[in-house]
Amino acid sequence: MSYRIAYSTNAYTKWTLSKAISDIRDRGFDGVEILADDPHAFPPSDPPSIVKALNGFPVSNLNGNTFRGEFLPRLIDPDPKARKTRIEYVRGVIDLARKIGAKAVCTSSGFLPRDVSPEQGGSWMIDSLREILDHAEKEPCIRVGVEYEPGFLVGSATVLHPILDTIDHPLLGVNLDIGHSVCVGEALPLVIQSFAGRIWNLHVEDIVGQVHDHLIPGKGNINFGEVKSSLDQIGYEEFLTLEIYPYKDRPGEAGTESLEFLRKTFESP
């Protein structure tokens, strides 16, 4: 089975978006994930210039996990105005996705605020996602992937599954970061299988132990052959998106090294 490999521009924050897209295309990637934040494409941004820069190059995902470089405001913020600000931002990311031809966006919960119970935070997360999905289901529909992250309220598959099941919306799924799964002690084959049919995009990096560093694939302990077998089993057809933002000083070289490893691993029988 053949896999398409994209590269996130969050490794290129010292570059302009157009230059980043050009470099990613020239290095042989099959697509690009666009950082929907400064300095690249904080919505509404400039859709025509992005479309021109893409020139038909596929977009794996619009990454809406941060807001002005921060995880605040949150979808689980105690302040309703702050929650609304974050909801409107994600809606803006969805609008941008429609205008540039992307099919999926991602978002995250953020850290659980002090003095807020997990139950209350989970309730706010569900309410926020429902508002976002009301916007996502307008034509053309856009998929919304929740990315869980170590330390966040939604920080594991165990926390995310009940949210997906409670909302039960065809556009709601997961932006699965395999490194995050490893950091919280999950078994990747079981996690991948558990989200079968709900993975809109797969973030790929390597991890040593359970330390949350986004390393070049092949530099850590993740068993990528095992990942491939698991994806083969569920018939995964979306992008593998390289996310190695710590390499901002040499994103191109790190991308080429990563791509060579991923091609060798994921194009083998």
Side-chain angles (χ1 to χ4, degrees):
M1 171 170 194
S2 178
Y3 288 92
R4 296 172 297 164
I5 303 173
Y7 192 3
S8 180
T9 67
N10 65 6
Y12 284 83
T13 53
K14 293 184 177 181
W15 299 40
T16 65
L17 178 59
S18 60
K19 184 179 177 183
I21 292 171
S22 178
D23 191 68
I24 289 168
R25 180 194 289 114
D26 290 347
R27 288 179 185 276
F29 285 89
D30 304 306
V32 59
E33 175 185 84
I34 294 177
L35 176 64
D37 198 354
D38 299 328
H40 288 163
F42 191 92
S45 195
D46 184 7
S49 69
I50 297 174
V51 170
K52 182 179 179 181
L54 287 168
N55 192 26
F57 196 47
V59 179
S60 65
N61 181 56
L62 281 191
N63 190 326
N65 288 342
T66 58
F67 181 99
R68 302 296 189 193
E70 303 290 341
F71 290 114
L72 297 172
R74 299 161 285 205
L75 296 176
I76 58 171
D77 204 290
D79 181 355
K81 292 182 179 179
R83 292 201 301 275
K84 190 67 174 178
T85 296
R86 187 59 178 233
I87 290 167
E88 289 303 317
Y89 162 72
V90 180
R91 285 176 168 176
V93 177
I94 290 169
D95 287 336
L96 182 59
R98 289 190 175 107
K99 292 174 182 177
I100 68 171
K103 296 180 180 179
V105 306
C106 67
T107 188
S108 59
S109 69
F111 297 98
L112 183 67
R114 184 179 300 177
D115 299 327
V116 173
S117 70
E119 292 76 19
Q120 179 61 77
S123 177
W124 285 332
M125 184 69 180
I126 289 169
D127 290 345
S128 295
L129 286 172
R130 282 178 170 150
E131 288 193 52
I132 289 166
L133 290 163
D134 284 344
H135 195 66
E137 64 188 13
K138 297 176 183 178
E139 295 294 334
C141 296
I142 302 295
R143 291 174 165 182
V144 177
V146 178
E147 181 171 341
Y148 60 85
E149 181 141 0
F152 281 11
L153 169 67
V154 183
S156 68
T158 301
V159 177
L160 179 55
H161 273 297
I163 293 174
L164 299 184
D165 293 341
T166 297
I167 297 175
D168 191 25
H169 195 292
L171 294 177
L172 183 63
V174 57
N175 188 79
L176 183 59
D177 188 306
I178 62 173
H180 294 174
S181 293
V182 170
C183 287
V184 298
E186 297 174 340
L188 281 174
L190 295 179
V191 168
I192 290 170
Q193 182 63 48
S194 75
F195 285 117
R198 282 175 153 178
I199 306 173
W200 304 155
N201 181 49
L202 195 83
H203 274 173
V204 176
E205 75 273 4
D206 215 337
I207 298 290
V208 171
Q210 291 180 248
V211 180
H212 189 192
D213 290 329
H214 284 236
L215 304 176
I216 291 171
K219 300 293 187 182
N221 306 129
I222 290 181
N223 186 332
F224 284 92
E226 188 176 69
V227 172
K228 178 185 182 299
S229 296
S230 301
L231 294 174
D232 287 348
Q233 289 172 18
I234 67 169
Y236 181 70
E237 296 181 343
E238 308 303 331
F239 277 93
L240 310 178
T241 297
L242 178 68
E243 194 194 30
I244 51 170
Y245 52 81
Y247 296 88
K248 290 178 172 61
D249 290 330
R250 55 184 190 96
E253 295 81 356
T256 293
E257 183 177 349
S258 300
L259 183 60
E260 290 174 353
F261 176 88
L262 294 173
R263 290 280 191 223
K264 182 178 179 181
T265 301
F266 284 90
E267 290 185 356
S268 59

